[in-house]
Amino acid sequence: MKLVVAIVHSEDAGVLVNALLDKEFRATRMQSSGGFLKQSNATIILGVEDGDVDEVMGIVRTNCTSRTQVVNPMPPIMEPGEFFMPYPLEVEVGGATVFVMPVERFERL
Ligand code: 2BA
């Protein structure tokens, strides 16, 4: 068995969970936020049989789209008389960041 942890855009999370449930995969959705952009995203965790991992990856790929987001960089610490012109920075936020980990033991009690 594997634990799949998928960090996805908040706007994709609902559709993704529904698509997983349609295929009878059990999933847990947690609210999270990115360390870099500090914007909310969603973390979906699922325990899946080894043979189902590829199908789950396919569902994630189909339902999560990458987006460009604009970040305003933090101004540096300035010396008197220095001038900083902040230029917005574009970053591409991936469709999903996915980790697949082995599960040592799984029980539903
Ligand atoms: P954030 O940390 O808010 O990162 C959002 C996007 O900003 C990233 O998209 C990437 O394009 C960019 N970015 C992140 N750190 C950067 C840096 N030090 N310099 C320049 N650009 C940077 P993704 O790579 O698609 O990541 C989307 C979200 O997935 C991340 O949100 C974070 O919540 C999670 N994530 C990504 N890689 C991870 C990792 N190795 N471990 C844990 N979480 C991760």
Side-chain angles (χ1 to χ4, degrees), residues 7-8 32-39 41 89 91-97 99:
I7 302 162
V8 305
S32 46
S33 54
F36 186 68
L37 294 181
K38 317 240 182 304
Q39 290 179 358
N41 52 26
L89 192 71
V91 289
E92 168 119 357
V93 183
T97 300
F99 302 89

Side-chain angles (χ1 to χ4, degrees), residues 5 29 45 50 69 72 92:
V5 178
R29 173 181 172 167
I45 58 170
D50 289 12
Q69 285 187 227
N72 286 309
E92 168 119 357

Side-chain angles (χ1 to χ4, degrees), residues 13-102:
V15 179
L16 173 60
V17 170
N18 288 340
L20 290 165
L21 293 183
D22 282 349
K23 298 284 180 183
E24 299 190 2
F25 290 113
R26 294 163 187 261
T28 297
R29 173 181 172 167
M30 299 186 292
Q31 258 199 339
S32 46
S33 54
F36 186 68
L37 294 181
K38 317 240 182 304
Q39 290 179 358
S40 84
N41 52 26
T43 300
I44 314 294
I45 58 170
L46 322 83
V48 295
E49 296 302 332
D50 289 12
D52 290 332
V53 170
D54 287 345
E55 185 179 355
V56 165
M57 294 297 279
I59 296 170
V60 173
R61 200 169 279 119
T62 306
N63 290 282
C64 298
T65 45
S66 66
R67 296 169 170 82
T68 303
Q69 285 187 227
V70 177
V71 203
N72 286 309
M74 293 287 289
I77 297 165
M78 308 289 289
E79 296 293 329
E82 282 184 334
F83 177 72
F84 172 69
M85 174 69 86
Y87 287 104
L89 192 71
E90 279 198 347
V91 289
E92 168 119 357
V93 183
T97 300
V98 186
F99 302 89
V100 180
M101 289 163 277

